[in-house]
Amino acid sequence: MADTDLLFPADDSTADKAAKGVQLPANLEAEAAYLGAVLIDNRVIEELTTPLMVEHFHEPVHQRIYERILKLIERNSVATPVTLKPYFESDEALKQLGGTTYLAQLTADGQGLLHPRELAEQIYDLALLRQLVTVGRNLVEGALDTSDEVEPLKKIEQAEADLYRVAEGATTGSEAQSFRTAAFGALQVVQAAMNSGGRFSGKTTGLDTINDKTSGLHNSDLVILAGRPAMGKTSLATNIAFNAASRLMRDLRDGIDRADSPGAGVAFFSLEMSADQLATRILAEQAEISSEKLRSGKLSRDEFQRLSFASQELTDLPLYIDDTPALTIGALRTRARRLKRRHDIGLVVVDYLQLLQGSGRASDNRVNEISEISRGLKTLAKELHVPVIALSQLSRQVESREDKRPQLSDLRESGSIEQDADMVWFIYRAEYYHNALKPDTPDETSSEDVRMKYAEWEAKHLELVNKATLIVAKQRHGSTGNVPLLFHSEYTKFSSPDIRYTDDYE
């Protein structure tokens, strides 16, 4: 007897099943009845709430019949046993079932017409169960295989990814879309833009100037938001996350369907700040109280009331903060899938990219590791079909230039970030650099030259104060350029000015 038999003895029922052979979950009679219903009335397919694909059928012959039915209907032809007959006269497997007369037998009693939806749902559910069997088998085989590297966490991540695909109904994750399907999706995007008054078609950022330039945040897009320290990267990301979640919350309260809302539930992965620090920022922004006052507790009665009201208003905010430090890209993707499954999130924010870790294999080379992370984030955006905003650092070479505006070449450590990103945004505040040049404040003894220099600095300061620029350096679906913003540093809050984007805005 093997050692494993001592640890995990098989009961009699398990042994009997192994001896007899276990059948995969399937109902061939339900498949035949449903095919018969479709052949009698092709409109049955259009009335399904659960769309059936060819792969949902277990019997290969049924798969081929259903595939030919779909092709005929797509060509606006009628699918009947008669019109199907020429395609199956030489089908060897069908001959074992009686040949082309089997097609007529499918429609003989017409029982499937009585409950086609229930039949379709059962066929679909059994297909998912077969997928679960496949996932389980792969998990067991992978766990037992120690011939290569032993990486249990990686196997768990793969299993969760497979389970997510099953939960989403993706029985074949690599299926190609017909142009008809892709075109229909494109028309839905255009219709969403029209419904918003022609302003944007994606998820809202809550900032009109950004929405105008980018048409919002689009599903499957990776957006890199980069900048030097103190530019306001985290503040802008937090503002966008709050704005999207707040819009969804308001729309749901107003009875608007989630699918019709430009808002989104948000997963915010904060690898630098704790969840309570992020919450403090959001409360400070909404109550218009400085973060410094919140930390020190020096609040007036009116300020405390505003804070309390803001807190109560945001109790149902669909914003989920994960502040687990030192996440690997694999672990982040696993957590994001879980949040998608549980809370149907529509936006992922990562603060920030360089704090993520790659797999052990790539960690010996930082450039390769960053490449792996950026590819993983893009894959996550496509897999969950949501926009992903990832914050990124910039190299110090920005500080050595006279013109401090960031460029794509300033992205730190890897050119793959630029390659994988659908949009690259740089946040730039000329006010910050101008303040660093502030001369001494003149007094009564100061010379006229000193007074003039200070007056010139002060005049420029008044032009730049509270202004920020979002530089759209890359955009696959549109033009690049500068987007004007206002930054209220006291509340760490960005807003849109009355003007729209322009190339000469500071």
Side-chain angles (χ1 to χ4, degrees):
M1 180 180 292
D3 293 340
T4 53
D5 293 333
L6 293 173
L7 292 172
F8 306 105
D11 57 30
D12 293 338
S13 61
T14 303
D16 291 341
K17 290 178 182 178
K20 298 175 182 177
V22 179
Q23 296 288 334
L24 287 173
N27 187 341
L28 302 188
E29 290 78 10
E31 292 180 6
Y34 175 73
L35 288 174
V38 174
L39 289 173
I40 295 173
D41 184 357
N42 293 172
R43 292 174 298 179
V44 166
I45 292 179
E46 301 173 1
E47 299 170 357
L48 293 183
T49 55
T50 302
L52 283 183
M53 298 167 56
V54 172
E55 293 78 8
H56 290 140
F57 290 83
H58 182 58
E59 169 58 49
V61 170
H62 291 166
Q63 288 182 356
R64 292 195 291 278
I65 293 172
Y66 191 62
E67 182 179 22
R68 180 54 59 182
I69 289 173
L70 293 178
K71 287 182 178 179
L72 287 173
I73 293 176
E74 189 173 348
R75 296 203 304 259
N76 292 322
S77 300
V78 178
T80 67
V82 175
T83 58
L84 287 179
K85 184 178 178 180
Y87 301 103
F88 291 94
E89 288 179 335
S90 60
D91 192 301
E92 295 297 328
L94 189 62
K95 289 180 181 178
Q96 298 178 11
L97 298 175
T100 54
T101 57
Y102 180 73
L103 299 174
Q105 292 173 8
L106 292 174
T107 62
D109 58 12
Q111 290 295 315
L113 281 176
L114 299 178
H115 39 77
R117 291 187 180 182
E118 289 78 3
L119 290 172
E121 289 175 359
Q122 185 178 112
I123 294 169
Y124 180 85
D125 290 343
L126 291 171
L128 293 190
L129 289 178
R130 293 195 296 274
Q131 284 292 307
L132 283 175
V133 171
T134 301
V135 172
R137 183 175 65 246
N138 292 340
L139 179 60
V140 171
E141 290 176 354
L144 293 175
D145 183 10
T146 57
S147 59
D148 201 358
E149 297 179 8
V150 179
E151 297 180 294
L153 291 180
K154 184 177 180 181
K155 296 182 188 300
I156 292 171
E157 290 167 6
Q158 182 59 49
E160 283 212 337
D162 293 340
L163 284 172
Y164 176 78
R165 284 194 289 272
V166 174
E168 290 293 292
T171 55
T172 52
S174 59
E175 279 295 306
Q177 289 188 23
S178 68
F179 181 77
R180 178 181 181 179
T181 302
F184 179 73
L187 287 176
Q188 287 183 312
V189 172
V190 174
Q191 185 176 16
M194 293 174 63
N195 292 340
S196 70
R199 292 175 54 224
F200 60 94
S201 56
K203 303 298 183 185
T204 183
T205 64
L207 298 164
D208 290 340
T209 47
I210 298 180
N211 286 341
D212 287 349
K213 183 65 175 175
T214 65
S215 295
L217 303 168
H218 299 273
N219 290 334
S220 302
D221 273 5
L222 172 60
V223 181
I224 297 296
L225 172 57
R228 289 294 294 156
M231 288 294 104
K233 297 188 300 296
T234 300
S235 297
L236 181 57
T238 304
N239 291 171
I240 291 173
F242 171 81
N243 292 339
S246 178
R247 177 61 183 268
L248 177 63
M249 179 180 68
R250 295 198 310 271
D251 285 350
L252 292 178
R253 287 176 178 176
D254 292 340
I256 298 174
D257 189 81
R258 179 184 289 262
D260 297 328
S261 172
V266 182
F268 198 114
F269 292 92
S270 178
L271 287 82
E272 187 174 35
M273 298 174 62
S274 65
D276 60 323
Q277 288 174 325
L278 277 176
T280 298
R281 282 197 172 201
I282 291 174
L283 288 174
E285 171 197 337
Q286 294 307 301
E288 294 191 345
I289 302 171
S290 71
S291 300
E292 185 178 347
K293 282 189 174 183
L294 288 183
R295 288 193 298 269
S296 65
K298 296 178 180 178
L299 302 179
S300 66
R301 183 176 297 274
D302 177 65
E303 289 172 333
F304 184 78
Q305 288 179 344
R306 296 206 310 269
L307 182 67
S308 178
F309 179 76
S311 178
Q312 292 173 8
E313 277 289 297
L314 304 180
T315 52
D316 296 326
L317 188 70
L319 175 59
Y320 309 96
I321 302 173
D322 187 328
D323 60 358
T324 307
L327 279 177
T328 64
I329 181 61
L332 183 142
R333 290 172 63 183
T334 297
R335 290 166 181 259
R337 290 188 204 104
R338 194 175 300 142
L339 286 168
K340 174 70 172 178
R341 189 169 62 248
R342 293 177 179 175
H343 303 292
D344 195 18
I345 57 170
L347 172 64
V348 174
V349 181
V350 180
D351 184 15
Y352 57 90
L353 186 151
Q354 279 81 7
L355 288 179
L356 283 172
Q357 298 179 9
S359 65
R361 294 187 302 274
S363 60
D364 57 334
N365 186 313
R366 185 57 178 167
V367 172
N368 291 342
E369 186 176 26
I370 292 295
S371 298
E372 178 193 0
I373 291 168
S374 65
R375 283 194 302 271
L377 291 173
K378 175 58 182 176
T379 301
L380 176 66
K382 293 184 67 176
E383 180 183 3
L384 300 189
H385 196 54
V386 301
V388 173
I389 300 177
L391 278 60
S392 178
Q393 289 181 333
L394 293 178
S395 64
R396 288 190 177 90
Q397 64 186 12
V398 175
E399 310 297 338
S400 62
R401 296 197 302 261
E402 183 176 349
D403 184 0
K404 301 297 193 292
R405 291 171 183 266
Q407 304 169 3
L408 287 173
S409 59
D410 296 325
L411 284 171
R412 185 172 172 182
E413 292 171 314
S414 176
S416 67
I417 298 177
E418 176 188 348
Q419 177 182 331
D420 294 325
D422 297 280
M423 284 193 282
V424 177
W425 298 348
F426 295 125
I427 189 68
Y428 170 71
R429 292 195 300 117
E431 176 192 3
Y432 174 81
Y433 292 107
H434 184 66
N435 286 345
L437 303 175
K438 182 179 179 180
D440 293 335
T441 305
D443 55 25
E444 296 178 356
T445 63
S446 299
S447 65
E448 185 64 24
D449 184 54
V450 170
R451 293 176 184 273
M452 285 292 294
K453 286 182 179 179
Y454 185 83
E456 290 174 1
W457 177 90
E458 189 173 36
K460 185 65 174 178
H461 171 75
L462 293 175
E463 291 180 13
L464 301 177
V465 67
N466 292 338
K467 288 185 178 181
T469 302
L470 184 76
I471 302 171
V472 180
K474 177 185 178 181
Q475 184 174 197
R476 289 194 201 276
H477 318 298
S479 62
T480 59
N482 295 341
V483 177
L485 294 171
L486 298 177
F487 180 61
H488 312 278
S489 57
E490 187 179 7
Y491 313 129
T492 63
K493 180 179 181 178
F494 283 88
S495 63
S496 291
D498 292 334
I499 61 174
R500 292 298 185 252
Y501 61 87
T502 173
D503 288 332
D504 56 3
Y505 188 81
E506 289 286 353

